[in-house]
């Protein structure tokens, strides 16, 4: 099998769920954001928007709101997480990037997912820990939606599709969760 740095980064990247308090550098942040902007997008529309949140008080508020939203949805696992007082949806990461997309984009959910994945890989490639966190979206349910969209500067006509937490890893992840192998068929 081929081996190179990109493939090594893809295989090494893990969802990191424990972070040091120290803030990442501006250069690290910009590296990750640039990777997001270089993602493919349907029709090259690039109808995404990124909100960098490094205000720890706002992150604490979003954590509480997201958990309140998650606590009432019809999923036992998510409900349990939401009701656990000690659980922080951002895992103490000092930076969160919210990924929003223009709702009438051609394939906006895919575009935002591509940008999100690029950020995870870029983060790993420069030694940062990251995790794709969609629990954040529960903060935008119902009446809270407009309040947070305004507070976070999400442009009109856009809505959040994902978020990425970034920071220095507390510990290196060792074991990758099992990968299914029986997921390909070949027609040759
Ligand atoms: C669409 C999507 C949403 C996710 N949301 C969360 C989340 O809210 N919280 C979390 O801890 N992990 C979340 N994850 C991370 C997955 O749990 C993780 O990718 C999976 O368990 C595989 O582990 P790995 O990333 O270390 O390979 C999400 C991943 C994806 C693709």
């Amino acid at each position: 099998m081929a081996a190179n740095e990109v493939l090594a980064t893809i295989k090494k990247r893990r969802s990191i769920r424990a972070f040091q308090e120290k803030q990442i550098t501006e250069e690290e942040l910009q590296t990750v954001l640039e990777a997001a902007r270089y993602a493919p997008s349907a029709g090259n529309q690039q109808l995404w928007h990124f909100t960098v949140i490094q205000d720890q008080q706002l992150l604490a508020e979003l954590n509480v709101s997201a958990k309140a939203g998650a606590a009432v949805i019809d999923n036992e696992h998510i409900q349990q997480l939401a009701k656990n007082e000690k659980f922080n949806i951002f895992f103490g990461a000092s930076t969160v990037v919210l990924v929003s997309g223009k709702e009438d984009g051609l394939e906006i959910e895919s575009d935002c997912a591509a940008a999100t994945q690029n950020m995870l890989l870029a983060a790993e490639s420069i030694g940062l820990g990251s995790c794709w966190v969609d629990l954040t979206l529960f903060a935008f349910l119902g009446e809270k939606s407009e309040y947070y969209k305004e507070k976070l500067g999400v442009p009109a006509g856009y809505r959040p599709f994902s978020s990425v937490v970034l920071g220095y890893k507390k510990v290196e992840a060792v074991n990758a969760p099992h990968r299914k192998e029986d997921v390909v068929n070949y027609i040759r």
Side-chain angles (χ1 to χ4, degrees):
M1 290 250 190
N4 61 42
E5 271 184 46
V6 174
L7 293 170
T9 301
I10 288 171
K11 286 191 83 174
K12 189 162 176 253
R13 180 212 58 82
R14 294 274 68 76
S15 292
I16 299 299
R17 298 189 174 91
F19 294 90
Q20 301 173 29
E21 262 182 44
K22 194 174 147 202
Q23 186 56 274
I24 62 172
T25 67
E26 189 60 26
E27 191 184 356
E28 287 166 335
L29 174 64
Q30 293 306 325
T31 299
V32 170
L33 292 171
E34 186 177 41
R37 292 188 296 102
Y38 270 80
S41 62
N44 193 28
Q45 286 191 310
Q46 302 177 44
L47 291 174
W48 41 47
H49 179 270
F50 306 95
T51 308
V52 176
I53 313 165
Q54 293 184 319
D55 174 335
Q56 303 307 305
Q57 221 171 317
L58 180 54
L59 288 179
E61 185 188 326
L62 281 168
N63 174 51
V64 170
S65 290
K67 285 172 72 179
V72 294
I73 74 148
D74 189 17
N75 178 302
E76 203 176 322
H77 172 64
I78 291 182
Q79 270 195 21
Q80 271 184 0
L81 284 177
K83 287 176 182 165
N84 178 350
E85 274 184 33
K86 291 191 181 142
F87 179 69
N88 180 304
I89 67 161
F90 304 124
F91 308 106
S94 52
T95 295
V96 174
V97 182
L98 182 74
V99 184
S100 303
K102 192 153 187 276
E103 294 192 67
D104 61 3
L106 275 174
E107 295 191 57
I108 193 60
E109 196 156 353
S110 303
D111 299 347
C112 288
T116 304
Q117 176 69 2
N118 266 19
M119 284 196 274
L120 303 181
L121 293 176
E124 178 60 40
S125 76
I126 58 172
L128 293 180
S130 68
C131 187
W132 183 323
V133 173
D134 274 4
L135 280 179
T136 312
L137 304 178
F138 288 111
F140 294 84
L141 292 181
E143 67 207 28
K144 286 272 175 78
S145 176
E146 284 314 310
Y147 167 76
Y148 277 124
K149 281 205 274 187
E150 199 180 323
K151 194 162 183 166
L152 295 169
V154 175
Y158 283 61
R159 75 174 169 89
F161 282 95
S162 65
S163 76
V164 169
V165 304
L166 297 167
Y168 298 119
K169 302 172 191 177
K170 240 185 192 163
V171 283
E172 277 294 331
V174 271
N175 295 322
H178 170 71
R179 258 43 189 183
K180 295 177 184 172
E181 286 180 18
D182 186 20
V183 291
V184 183
N185 73 318
Y186 300 90
I187 302 165
R188 289 169 165 157

